[in-house]
């Protein structure tokens, strides 16, 4: 692991434990075990660091998605896996850092919101990522409609928004509602949704 990745991982952990606003670059340097000038050599300020965290998150999740969805041929199975992954997205810290998220006072999802408030450019990047994700879901829907798997009378743009918001909403509910059993409840939501959108017997 190179110094830049060590800095990014240390920053994520500190931000999750103490809150983004309460952590300085000096504290990150101390956790990594490098000097104050050394961290400024890599990242001139916190804004530069959060952009690096964004790129790190994007790269890690792309690799994870390629592995997670590899070999799936059924459209229904692909969408089911998306809902099944809610628990992973809700605990994305484990995917990013390779360790349990116990001891953190915040979630990575909350952290991204903090980044967006701190930096308009970061918020723009997150918005672009969200739109890209929704367009990918929409393309999957259109392909399934052309293959007569999903009903053609359903607007693909609206349905992609419904699916995306359901997944994001379930992730948020899991963080805030202890009665949610995400491993089973997310699949119940999917099965109900599929019942309404799928062509009969598909």
């Amino acid at each position: 692991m190179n110094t830049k990745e060590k800095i990014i991982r240390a920053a994520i952990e500190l931000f999750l434990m103490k809150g983004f606003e309460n952590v300085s670059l000096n504290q990150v340097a101390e956790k990594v075990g490098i000097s104050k000038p050394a961290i400024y050599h890599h990242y001139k300020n916190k804004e530069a660091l959060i952009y690096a965290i964004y790129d790190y998150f994007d790269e890690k999740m792309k690799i994870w998605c390629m592995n997670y969805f590899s070999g799936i041929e059924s459209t229904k199975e692909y969408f089911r896996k998306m809902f099944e992954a809610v628990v992973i997205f809700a605990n994305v810290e484990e995917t990013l850092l390779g360790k349990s998220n116990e001891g953190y006072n915040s979630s990575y999802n909350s952290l991204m919101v903090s980044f967006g408030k701190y930096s308009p450019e970061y918020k723009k990047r997150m918005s672009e990522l969200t739109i890209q994700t929704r367009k990918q879901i929409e393309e999957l829907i259109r392909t399934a409609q052309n293959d007569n798997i999903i009903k053609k009378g359903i607007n693909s743009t609206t349905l992609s928004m419904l699916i995306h918001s359901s997944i994001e909403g379930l992730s948020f509910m899991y963080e805030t509602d202890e009665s949610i059993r995400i491993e089973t409840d997310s699949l119940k939501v999917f099965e109900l949704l599929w019942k309404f959108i799928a062509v009969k017997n598909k």
Side-chain angles (χ1 to χ4, degrees):
M1 188 185 303
N2 61 36
T3 302
K4 281 192 172 184
E5 185 172 357
K6 288 179 181 178
I7 292 171
I8 289 169
R9 290 169 64 91
I12 292 173
E13 287 197 60
L14 285 172
F15 292 157
L16 290 171
M17 287 188 289
K18 300 183 178 183
F20 172 67
E21 299 83 0
N22 302 319
V23 176
S24 67
L25 286 182
N26 293 347
Q27 290 172 302
V28 177
E30 184 178 344
K31 183 172 177 62
V32 176
I34 60 177
S35 66
K36 179 179 175 180
I39 195 168
Y40 284 99
H41 170 74
H42 293 288
Y43 303 106
K44 62 180 181 180
N45 52 39
K46 284 177 77 173
E47 189 164 5
L49 180 55
I50 66 173
Y51 294 156
I53 290 173
Y54 173 90
D55 292 336
Y56 182 76
F57 170 82
D58 189 44
E59 179 185 356
K60 287 286 186 182
M61 293 312 296
K62 281 179 180 176
I63 294 170
W64 178 86
C65 284
M66 279 197 313
N67 292 329
Y68 182 75
F69 291 107
S70 176
I72 298 175
E73 297 180 0
S74 161
T75 301
K76 180 179 181 180
E77 177 68 7
Y78 196 95
F79 279 105
R80 188 189 70 80
K81 289 279 283 184
M82 287 175 62
F83 278 81
E84 195 174 50
V86 170
V87 66
I88 301 168
F89 294 142
N91 296 302
V92 72
E93 303 85 9
E94 294 185 29
T95 302
L96 290 177
L97 302 174
K99 59 173 66 176
S100 170
N101 58 6
E102 290 182 11
Y104 299 146
N105 296 314
S106 181
S107 68
Y108 189 79
N109 293 326
S110 300
L111 194 58
M112 287 191 289
V113 173
S114 298
F115 291 166
K117 290 179 179 178
Y118 179 81
S119 167
E121 176 61 27
Y122 187 93
K123 185 177 182 180
K124 180 182 176 183
R125 291 189 187 187
M126 287 305 304
S127 175
E128 290 171 351
L129 178 61
T130 300
I131 292 169
Q132 180 185 7
T133 300
R134 196 160 59 247
K135 286 187 178 297
Q136 289 172 343
I137 295 172
E138 185 176 350
E139 185 60 32
L140 288 170
I141 293 166
R142 286 178 179 167
T143 300
Q145 288 176 323
N146 290 334
D147 293 340
N148 200 34
I149 295 170
I150 290 178
K151 295 174 184 175
K152 294 182 179 180
I154 301 174
N155 183 281
S156 59
T157 302
T158 304
L159 182 55
S160 68
M161 291 174 63
L162 175 62
I163 291 172
H164 195 194
S165 60
S166 295
I167 292 170
E168 293 290 339
L170 283 164
S171 179
F172 174 77
M173 289 170 67
Y174 176 59
E175 288 186 32
T176 57
D177 185 347
E178 293 182 357
S179 70
I180 296 291
R181 298 291 176 263
I182 201 65
E183 294 85 352
T184 54
D185 289 344
S186 61
L187 293 180
K188 288 178 183 177
V189 171
F190 164 72
E191 292 295 344
L192 181 62
L193 175 64
W194 190 258
K195 179 180 177 181
F196 287 104
I197 69 173
V199 173
K200 191 175 180 181
N201 298 325
K202 293 289 184 176

